[in-house]
């Protein structure tokens, strides 16, 4: 279709072709038929038509209207919606071209291909077994300037959101959910897979009343040596900070120390939360929570839940012992300890499908730690341990008058794309825009982007180097602070 036939929709159709969302032949046919009937159509009207025909999702249409054409197709995955944002990155609902199944895809800034090869070792571990409570880490890859991680998409609602809405669980229900989690962890531990970041927001309650453990594999990626980690320093610090409420004493001081015993401690904190509706150490700064997990005892669960069975309270207390050797020998023992209480729970009722795995209840509940906290926690952990390129895009004016005018006349797309709604027929016709020659071949675009990707990697490395210097300085200061605290803890008056 000639550019002169597209009218005001010229830039929108060009961007849509660049996105690789739709086959070129199908796109030209659908757009041609629509513009024959609506020759004066604006881009928002064409976008709304494509959404109504099921050719685009609302999310995809919004992104194209905003000029964000890159990153909608990552490897075999076509992103269809955003389902959450957290400290590591944004999670999307995506369809795989390989098997036509839905996946939760987490997108991260790219570091290097070597990191991806290391991360794929985790994927291979999950190929050895399946378990109904385990959502396996199935793929990792790179596309343009992005890394992506994927898990099968699970319908449901994260346990943190359930507690916030419904309140604490009865002892029987809490024991049932903890038992299911312990069964899934036991299957993982038998294959040397440790979670390392277990918390309520990483546990999905499905419509069938079954618990599904999310974000398995993330802990291993964070635990790699800093030079090898797939995840950048700031994202690592943010993720570890957001998980402090359920972190084990040994993993707080050494994040690479991921063990079955550490998962047990985290499960104890989760069970404490299920029973009481609060975390063991709910108050205080990140440093205070770190120290509390190592030296303080939480408020007795019996005080918070007076009527609960003594034996169930004993399970919670044993799981949360400071020394790993004082906990259970394996998660299989935990299952047997919880079974008498879980067997008294009523059959799970069908629940509405509220959210999907990896949404606000994904890796970090959508709560991103502030930058200062992220820098601090990275220093504290160390102290305790010892758009791709392609052809040129259409020229975009500094003041996006053409798009704003189009947005004003738009009927049903999201308000986030523009401010205000003009009267019917009010928008002024957009000025003529200069467009470069259309791309002739997608393969040529991919080849042309290689040099740009290399330049992006160099820039990212320089930026991380500058950030690393700041982390080292602040970390050194925090080393002194922690050392002073420990000295006061053992030789002087205790701060708390």
């Amino acid at each position: 279709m000639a550019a002169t036939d597209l009218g005001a929709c010229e830039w929108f159709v060009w961007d849509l072709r660049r996105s690789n969302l739709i086959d070129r032949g199908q796109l030209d046919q659908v757009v041609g038929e629509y513009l024959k009937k609506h020759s004066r159509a604006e881009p928002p009207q064409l976008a709304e038509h494509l959404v109504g025909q099921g050719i685009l999702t609302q999310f995809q249409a919004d992104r194209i209207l905003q000029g964000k054409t890159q990153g909608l197709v990552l490897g075999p995955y076509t992103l269809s919606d955003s389902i959450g944002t957290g400290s590591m990155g944004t999670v999307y609902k995506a369809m795989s071209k390989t098997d036509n199944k839905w996946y939760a895809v987490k997108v991260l800034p790219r570091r290097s291909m070597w990191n991806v090869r290391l991360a794929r070792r985790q994927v291979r571990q999950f190929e050895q077994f399946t378990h109904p409570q385990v959502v396996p880490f199935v793929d990792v890859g790179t596309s343009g300037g992005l890394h992506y991680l994927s898990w099968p998409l699970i319908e449901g609602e994260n346990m943190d959101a359930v507690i916030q809405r419904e309140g604490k669980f009865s002892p029987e229900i809490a024991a049932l959910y903890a038992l299911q989690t312990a069964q899934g962890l036991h299957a993982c531990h038998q294959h040397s897979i440790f979670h390392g970041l277990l918390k309520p927001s990483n546990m999905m309650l499905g419509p069938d009343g079954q618990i599904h453990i999310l974000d398995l594999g993330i802990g291993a990626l964070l635990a790699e040596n800093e030079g090898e980690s797939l995840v950048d320093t700031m994202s690592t610090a943010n993720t570890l900070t957001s998980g402090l409420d359920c972190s084990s004493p040994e993993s707080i001081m050494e994040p690479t120390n991921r063990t079955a015993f550490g998962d047990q401690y985290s499960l104890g904190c989760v069970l404490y939360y299920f029973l009481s509706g609060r975390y063991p150490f709910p108050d205080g700064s990140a440093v205070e929570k770190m120290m509390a997990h190592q030296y303080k005892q939480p408020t007795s669960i019996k005080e918070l839940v007076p009527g609960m069975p003594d034996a169930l309270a004993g399970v919670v207390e044993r799981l949360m012992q400071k020394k790993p050797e004082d906990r259970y020998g394996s998660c299989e023992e935990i299952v047997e300890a919880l079974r008498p209480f879980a067997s008294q729970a009523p059959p799970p009722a069908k629940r509405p499908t509220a959210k999907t795995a990896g949404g606000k209840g994904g890796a970090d509940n959508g709560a991103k730690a502030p930058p200062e906290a992220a820098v601090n926690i990275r220093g504290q952990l160390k102290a305790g341990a010892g758009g791709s390129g392609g052809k040129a895009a259409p020229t975009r004016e500094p003041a996006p008058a053409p798009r704003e005018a189009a947005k004003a006349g738009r009927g049903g797309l999201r308000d986030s794309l523009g401010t205000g709604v003009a009267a019917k027929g009010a928008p002024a016709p957009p000025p003529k825009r200069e467009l470069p020659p259309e791309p002739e071949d997608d393969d040529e675009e991919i080849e042309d982007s290689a040099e740009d990707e290399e330049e992006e990697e160099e820039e990212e490395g320089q930026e991380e180097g500058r950030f690393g210097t700041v982390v080292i300085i602040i970390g050194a200061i925090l080393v002194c602070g922690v050392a002073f605290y420990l000295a006061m803890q053992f030789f002087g008056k205790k701060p708390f």
Side-chain angles (χ1 to χ4, degrees), residues 299-492:
T299 302
S300 171
I301 192 67
K302 286 287 290 182
E303 291 184 29
L304 301 176
V305 191
M308 69 176 296
D310 292 340
L312 182 56
V315 173
V316 177
E317 292 172 0
R318 185 171 176 182
L319 285 170
M320 294 185 61
Q321 289 297 306
K322 305 299 182 186
K323 296 180 180 180
E325 59 269 23
D326 292 337
R327 300 167 201 157
Y328 288 92
S330 70
C331 281
E332 191 173 25
E333 294 182 19
I334 302 172
V335 171
E336 295 307 316
L338 291 171
R339 197 180 300 280
F341 312 104
S343 63
Q344 302 175 28
K350 285 286 183 181
R351 305 178 63 86
T353 302
K355 296 184 182 178
T356 51
K360 285 195 174 181
D364 24 54
N365 201 25
K368 192 166 185 175
E372 308 85 40
V375 174
N376 287 344
I377 191 68
R378 186 67 176 177
Q380 291 152 6
L381 295 176
K382 287 186 176 181
S388 69
K391 297 197 181 233
T395 303
R396 303 196 182 279
E397 315 270 337
R403 292 195 177 184
E404 292 303 322
K407 292 170 191 173
R410 176 182 172 203
L413 294 177
R414 294 178 184 171
D415 294 337
S416 62
L417 296 181
T419 55
V421 179
K424 210 170 186 180
K432 186 72 175 176
R433 306 179 62 185
E434 292 186 5
L435 296 178
E438 294 182 6
E440 298 178 359
D441 191 282
D442 290 341
D443 294 335
E444 183 181 344
E445 292 179 20
I446 295 172
E447 292 174 3
D448 291 342
S449 68
E451 292 182 5
D452 292 338
E453 291 178 9
E454 291 178 2
E455 292 176 3
E456 287 175 2
E457 286 188 21
E458 291 179 4
E459 292 174 0
E460 289 171 3
Q462 292 172 1
E463 184 177 348
E464 288 179 5
R466 290 193 294 271
F467 178 73
T469 303
V470 176
V471 172
I472 291 172
I473 295 172
I474 297 178
I477 295 172
L478 288 168
V479 167
C480 298
V482 173
F484 174 76
Y485 177 90
L486 294 175
M488 293 295 294
Q489 182 76 18
F490 292 106
F491 303 109

Side-chain angles (χ1 to χ4, degrees), residues 238-286:
N238 279 333
T239 303
L240 295 175
T241 303
S242 68
L244 277 179
D245 286 315
C246 296
S247 295
S248 67
E250 58 270 25
S251 67
I252 286 176
M253 297 307 292
E254 180 50 72
T256 61
N257 186 17
R258 295 174 303 103
T259 66
F261 293 116
D263 284 347
Q264 286 189 31
Y265 185 93
S266 297
L267 178 59
C269 295
V270 168
L271 182 53
Y272 188 104
Y273 181 69
F274 286 174
L275 290 163
S276 65
R278 52 169 276 184
Y279 289 107
F281 305 106
D283 303 318
S285 65

Side-chain angles (χ1 to χ4, degrees), residues 205-255:
L205 183 60
D208 58 355
Q210 292 290 308
I211 292 291
H212 303 279
I213 306 172
L214 308 180
D215 275 3
L216 278 157
I218 290 292
L221 299 185
L222 298 178
E224 297 284 0
N225 293 328
E226 187 170 335
E228 300 177 343
S229 175
L230 181 75
V231 186
D232 65 275
T233 304
M234 180 63 80
S235 297
T236 299
N238 279 333
T239 303
L240 295 175
T241 303
S242 68
L244 277 179
D245 286 315
C246 296
S247 295
S248 67
E250 58 270 25
S251 67
I252 286 176
M253 297 307 292
E254 180 50 72

